[in-house]
Amino acid sequence: MKKGLLTIKKILWLLFTAAILLALPACGGFGETDSGAPKTVSASGDMVTAELPSGWSLVSGTDMNGVDLADFICHAEEFELGDPYLQVQEYFGGIEAARAVLESEDPYGTYTGTKELANGTWYLAENAAAAQLGEKALLVKGYQCDFGSEEVQSILGSLQLVQ
């Protein structure tokens, strides 16, 4: 009698354990968990594609001002004059010339150095950054954006040229 009762308890325990193990992944309590990292969304403009954190949007130069020479990454869902933004454009003088402009600290503020991001080496100043992406040197100018922040650097590191 005791042996039969013990076997039933074991079976019930196994069923209970199996039910919990099946329910945990659905609740996010087992396996991959949310790291707390902000969600991103892919966006594309005239020149670049980017992975943008929540609260940012990409407006093509064509949509912003009718010219496809720059894209604007705005720290707003709908851009309004005065909102923080990054202006992404090709620097036709090449990456060394762009770096020299940033190092001169005029007009983009104090040069802060280089940073290796997912898409290459970036040269950073207070209010701008530059990198070589493929065949093009890009200059990213900022208005009320912190180029030292993880958020802006994650955007810079995600930039890719539109094919």
Side-chain angles (χ1 to χ4, degrees), residues 40-96:
T40 61
V41 63
S42 295
S44 184
D46 295 325
M47 296 186 61
V48 295
T49 62
E51 289 295 320
L52 303 177
S54 179
W56 289 78
S57 61
L58 191 148
V59 180
S60 71
T62 302
D63 290 339
M64 180 73 86
N65 56 26
V67 181
D68 67 353
L69 297 177
D71 286 331
F72 297 85
I73 300 172
C74 309
H75 197 184
E77 295 295 332
E78 297 284 329
F79 179 75
E80 293 182 22
L81 194 58
D83 286 339
Y85 67 88
L86 302 169
Q87 179 179 336
V88 183
Q89 64 190 61
E90 182 175 357
Y91 195 82
F92 294 103
I95 192 61
E96 290 306 319

Side-chain angles (χ1 to χ4, degrees), residues 14-27 30:
L14 287 172
L15 288 174
F16 174 75
T17 303
I20 294 296
L21 290 175
L22 290 173
L24 279 176
C27 299
F30 185 74

Side-chain angles (χ1 to χ4, degrees), residues 66-157:
V67 181
D68 67 353
L69 297 177
D71 286 331
F72 297 85
I73 300 172
C74 309
H75 197 184
E77 295 295 332
E78 297 284 329
F79 179 75
E80 293 182 22
L81 194 58
D83 286 339
Y85 67 88
L86 302 169
Q87 179 179 336
V88 183
Q89 64 190 61
E90 182 175 357
Y91 195 82
F92 294 103
I95 192 61
E96 290 306 319
R99 181 180 180 179
V101 168
L102 294 177
E103 288 175 341
S104 75
E105 300 185 359
D106 185 37
Y108 302 113
T110 304
Y111 180 71
T112 58
T114 61
K115 180 85 176 196
E116 287 297 324
L117 299 176
N119 57 359
T121 302
W122 282 84
Y123 304 98
L124 303 170
E126 279 181 282
N127 301 306
Q132 182 78 35
L133 295 184
E135 298 292 317
K136 295 183 180 182
L138 288 186
L139 180 66
V140 179
K141 300 185 255 184
Y143 174 73
Q144 295 183 350
C145 293
D146 179 5
F147 280 83
S149 73
E150 285 185 35
E151 189 172 51
V152 170
Q153 289 184 8
S154 75
I155 293 170
L156 294 175

